[in-house]
Amino acid sequence: MGSAPRDRLHQLAAIVEFSEDAIIGKDMDGIITEWNKGAKQLYGYSADEVIGKPVSILIPPEVSDDFSEIMNKLKRGESVARSETVRQKKGGERVDVSLSVFPIRDEAGKIVGAAAIARDISERKRYEATLRESEERFRLVADTAPVLIWMSGIDKLCSYFNKPWLDFTGRPLAAELGNGWASGVYPDDLQGCLATYTQSFDQREKFRMEYRLRRHDGEFRWVLDVGVPRFNEDRSFAGYIGIAIDVTDRKEGEQRLHEMHRQLQQHAAVLQSREELLKIFVKNVPAGVAMFDRDMHYLQVSDRWCADYSVDSSQILGHSHYELFPDMPYRWKDMHRRGLEGESLRADEERWDREGGTKWVRWEIRPWWSLGRMPSGILIFAEDITQRKQMEEELSGVTQKLIQAQEQERARIARELHDDINQRLALLSMEVGQLQENPAEIEPRGLELRKRIQEISADVQALATDLHPSKLESLGAVAGMKSWTTEFAQRQKLEVDFMASLDSPLPPKIGVSLFRVLQEALQNIVKHSGGKRVEVQLREDSEAVHM
């Protein structure tokens, strides 16, 4: 009966002794009574050095109130679970720890001491700091982009809007977060907007939609909003990221075109000479319009039609439409036939792969009528939207590029910390440990270790400078870039000649963008060219800045 409790105590003692966590026992006066191997590894003291001493030797002065609060809780019989705080190692170095403290009672239930369990969370804290730096870099890029950008989490609630979005709406970030942005959507558009977003979100699909959004001056503007799902490195769903652009001018152009259609129909109903009216209209309308007879011969074309297809009206009037475009897709010929039978047709977007390249067209086909109410031909209203489509595709690509830029920056920082800084710190830690075992070597090797610590500190400072160019803010863009270039050249053993001739100061956004270009260019030179001399020229010419 007596051996079982003793065996259990031995087992518990073994667990405590070999635990990787630092486990410390202390009495109610704060005197250390127990000290395991994990505590030695974390704080650097051996058991003989600390047992019998006050636990306050591990408490930095700046968190002494934290220690007093813990002792008060213990006296009241309360525990402290996983509190994040700072402790002090043997050499005075601070270490971030997750701390749990429990009261120890005797057989009578009286509190006679406490057990403290500490775990080193320094690596996690460094990763969190690095992650915050990466997120700040992403926000910098997003805030300089010429589009409205938003992000949402897996709960469908928006968690981020970039500065151009906030400037457009004139509302603070707090008002837009969650579903707050929806208050700026035109009431008639809101239901369809939310339905598109919700359906696409549930299916993890890309979406594009148009709706009216209230600008800071109270005017509702049409925006084209493109959203794509985003994923974490482990491919788990992380929410959505989207971009929006103001397309009000294009929408108003469509409305003017429809208004011209309406006016044409009204005039045609009351005028007998509708053929002449159509010819006058088609000739002068500021849009791509062509008038055909039943055999698809040109009767009249607008100047815009001729400009879009690089032809002169004298070259095509009286000629067949299919003679001008021998590669006309069959589906379009079929739609011409349907128009000649009295049907009106339209397409918001139509792709046309020609020998000269791909064109995108928005078109509408309407029959025109003779006095006998028989279709005498068709009108084709066409707008070349190739440039707009290319712009939309490029804008859609911005989303992925932002995500890639964020992931690449995180990966670069991780490599720098793991492959260089972390390895050097680990080696330094091992050598310091060896010095503890051989104190006689401390004095002759102290200067060498101090020099290596200074080198690591300088490299960390250089990494921080690369991430956040604070000198651009304090010195100005040009002086900040020149200062960073000088420091970079010294680190990389380069000869860099920086020359700047600008007539006026650079705006902050342009200065940051040019700094990132300069930073990437010099890093590529070091990695790939093998060159030892670099010349940088920054000049202003015809209201443009060249680097």
Side-chain angles (χ1 to χ4, degrees):
M1 293 294 291
S3 62
R6 285 196 298 272
D7 292 341
R8 185 170 179 271
L9 289 175
H10 287 312
Q11 292 173 0
L12 290 174
I15 292 173
V16 170
E17 179 62 17
F18 293 102
S19 172
E20 293 183 356
D21 291 334
I23 301 177
I24 304 171
K26 56 188 176 181
D27 60 22
M28 292 307 294
D29 294 323
I31 303 301
I32 298 173
T33 58
E34 300 292 338
W35 188 265
N36 75 336
K37 291 183 178 179
K40 177 183 178 181
Q41 183 176 356
L42 177 60
Y43 296 111
Y45 292 100
S46 66
D48 293 337
E49 291 177 298
V50 295
I51 289 179
K53 293 184 177 180
V55 75
S56 58
I57 64 173
L58 306 177
I59 313 299
E62 61 268 22
V63 293
S64 58
D65 292 340
D66 166 39
F67 173 68
S68 299
E69 182 179 353
I70 292 175
M71 291 302 297
N72 290 333
K73 285 186 176 181
L74 290 173
K75 292 176 182 179
R76 295 194 301 267
E78 298 175 7
S79 299
V80 176
R82 292 185 295 276
S83 172
E84 292 187 2
T85 185
V86 179
R87 287 297 179 258
Q88 183 171 275
K89 294 188 176 184
K90 181 178 180 180
E93 178 186 354
R94 283 3 182 216
V95 58
D96 293 305
V97 299
S98 173
L99 182 67
S100 296
V101 185
F102 310 95
I104 298 175
R105 301 175 184 271
D106 60 12
E107 293 180 354
K110 180 182 177 182
I111 300 174
V112 295
I117 303 175
R119 177 169 295 179
D120 188 347
I121 59 172
S122 302
E123 187 67 25
R124 193 197 78 197
K125 287 287 188 179
R126 284 192 291 270
Y127 175 79
E128 291 173 351
T130 301
L131 184 60
R132 285 193 296 272
E133 288 284 352
S134 180
E135 290 174 348
E136 285 298 321
R137 183 177 177 87
F138 163 76
R139 293 177 186 274
L140 175 64
V141 173
D143 284 343
T144 57
V147 292
L148 314 183
I149 301 177
W150 57 267
M151 291 177 65
S152 65
I154 60 176
D155 55 2
K156 299 181 183 176
L157 299 179
C158 287
S159 57
Y160 170 75
F161 293 91
N162 71 339
K163 188 175 183 299
W165 178 291
L166 301 178
D167 291 342
F168 180 92
T169 62
R171 287 158 52 88
L173 177 62
E176 298 288 275
L177 293 177
N179 287 325
W181 63 274
S183 64
V185 178
Y186 192 75
D188 292 348
D189 301 339
L190 181 58
Q191 184 175 357
C193 177
L194 294 178
T196 299
Y197 175 77
T198 301
Q199 181 178 354
S200 302
F201 195 102
D202 292 339
Q203 297 177 359
R204 308 292 192 261
E205 293 179 346
K206 173 183 175 181
F207 67 82
R208 60 192 304 273
M209 58 184 176
E210 293 181 355
Y211 55 89
R212 283 164 286 187
L213 185 65
R214 186 171 54 239
R215 198 168 58 182
H216 57 82
D217 58 1
E219 179 184 352
F220 282 92
R221 304 282 292 180
W222 283 98
V223 296
L224 170 64
D225 198 339
V226 180
V228 294
R230 55 192 180 93
F231 299 91
N232 297 312
E233 290 184 358
D234 61 0
R235 302 307 300 163
S236 61
F237 178 60
Y240 264 70
I241 184 170
I243 57 173
I245 58 173
D246 189 332
V247 293
T248 304
D249 294 340
R250 192 254 297 169
K251 294 288 291 186
E252 291 176 349
E254 294 176 353
Q255 293 173 356
R256 286 193 296 269
L257 184 60
H258 287 303
E259 179 63 20
M260 285 188 286
H261 293 168
R262 188 185 64 82
Q263 293 176 0
L264 173 61
Q265 292 175 343
Q266 289 177 345
H267 287 299
V270 298
L271 296 175
Q272 291 184 349
S273 184
R274 63 182 63 195
E275 288 88 351
E276 187 63 23
L277 174 65
L278 285 173
K279 290 181 180 180
I280 295 173
F281 170 79
V282 170
K283 174 63 179 173
N284 295 283
V285 69
V289 182
M291 182 179 182
F292 301 89
D293 62 15
R294 291 194 60 80
D295 297 320
M296 289 302 294
H297 288 87
Y298 282 90
L299 297 179
Q300 193 55 266
V301 292
S302 69
D303 294 340
R304 178 60 182 272
W305 179 285
C306 295
D308 284 348
Y309 295 102
S310 303
V311 295
D312 188 87
S313 60
S314 61
Q315 298 174 319
I316 61 175
L317 291 179
H319 293 271
S320 169
H321 184 48
Y322 306 132
E323 178 184 337
L324 180 63
F325 299 110
D327 57 344
M328 179 72 65
Y330 174 80
R331 67 180 184 280
W332 285 10
K333 293 181 180 180
D334 182 65
M335 287 182 284
H336 297 158
R337 176 189 59 78
R338 292 164 58 187
L340 291 170
E341 293 176 354
E343 186 178 354
S344 294
L345 308 99
R346 68 188 301 270
D348 289 334
E349 294 179 354
E350 186 77 39
R351 177 171 177 159
W352 186 7
D353 294 319
R354 304 185 63 197
E355 292 182 357
T358 298
K359 290 178 71 68
W360 285 88
V361 181
R362 186 176 77 248
W363 55 262
E364 185 167 352
I365 297 175
R366 289 180 174 269
W368 61 276
W369 307 83
S370 66
L371 292 178
R373 300 303 298 165
M374 290 292 293
S376 297
I378 61 173
L379 287 168
I380 297 181
F381 302 81
E383 178 187 4
D384 186 346
I385 60 171
T386 304
Q387 185 176 4
R388 192 203 81 192
K389 288 292 293 183
Q390 291 172 345
M391 181 184 67
E392 291 177 0
E393 292 173 359
E394 290 173 359
L395 289 176
S396 297
V398 169
T399 296
Q400 187 59 35
K401 289 179 180 178
L402 287 173
I403 296 174
Q404 291 175 352
Q406 183 184 29
E407 294 304 322
Q408 289 172 358
E409 180 64 11
R410 289 180 176 180
R412 186 184 74 81
I413 294 172
R415 286 195 301 271
E416 291 282 350
L417 293 174
H418 181 273
D419 297 344
D420 183 20
I421 303 299
N422 190 48
Q423 296 297 327
R424 290 159 65 188
L425 287 173
L427 181 59
L428 189 62
S429 176
M430 292 175 58
E431 294 187 13
V432 170
Q434 293 173 357
L435 288 179
Q436 291 178 339
E437 297 175 359
N438 190 5
E441 292 292 323
I442 292 179
E443 183 174 353
R445 296 186 61 188
L447 291 177
E448 176 190 350
L449 294 180
R450 180 181 180 184
K451 179 181 178 182
R452 288 166 60 184
I453 292 172
Q454 291 173 341
E455 290 174 349
I456 294 174
S457 176
D459 288 345
V460 172
Q461 183 179 4
L463 181 60
T465 300
D466 290 346
L467 288 173
H468 182 66
S470 58
K471 289 186 177 180
L472 296 187
E473 301 173 358
S474 59
L475 301 179
V478 176
M481 283 189 281
K482 185 174 183 180
S483 175
W484 180 87
T485 302
T486 300
E487 296 174 359
F488 182 85
Q490 292 173 350
R491 296 199 307 269
Q492 302 297 335
K493 305 299 188 294
L494 286 177
E495 179 185 352
V496 180
D497 187 5
F498 185 95
M499 294 173 287
S501 57
L502 299 179
D503 297 331
S504 55
L506 289 174
K509 291 183 179 180
I510 296 177
V512 171
S513 299
L514 287 173
F515 171 76
R516 293 305 180 193
V517 172
L518 173 64
Q519 189 180 43
E520 184 69 16
L522 291 184
Q523 289 173 348
N524 286 340
I525 288 172
V526 172
K527 292 178 182 177
H528 307 298
S529 76
K532 294 300 182 183
R533 183 179 183 277
V534 183
E535 185 175 295
V536 181
Q537 295 184 1
L538 186 64
R539 59 185 175 83
E540 183 176 348
D541 180 23
S542 300
E543 298 184 352
V545 177
H546 302 265
M547 174 177 283

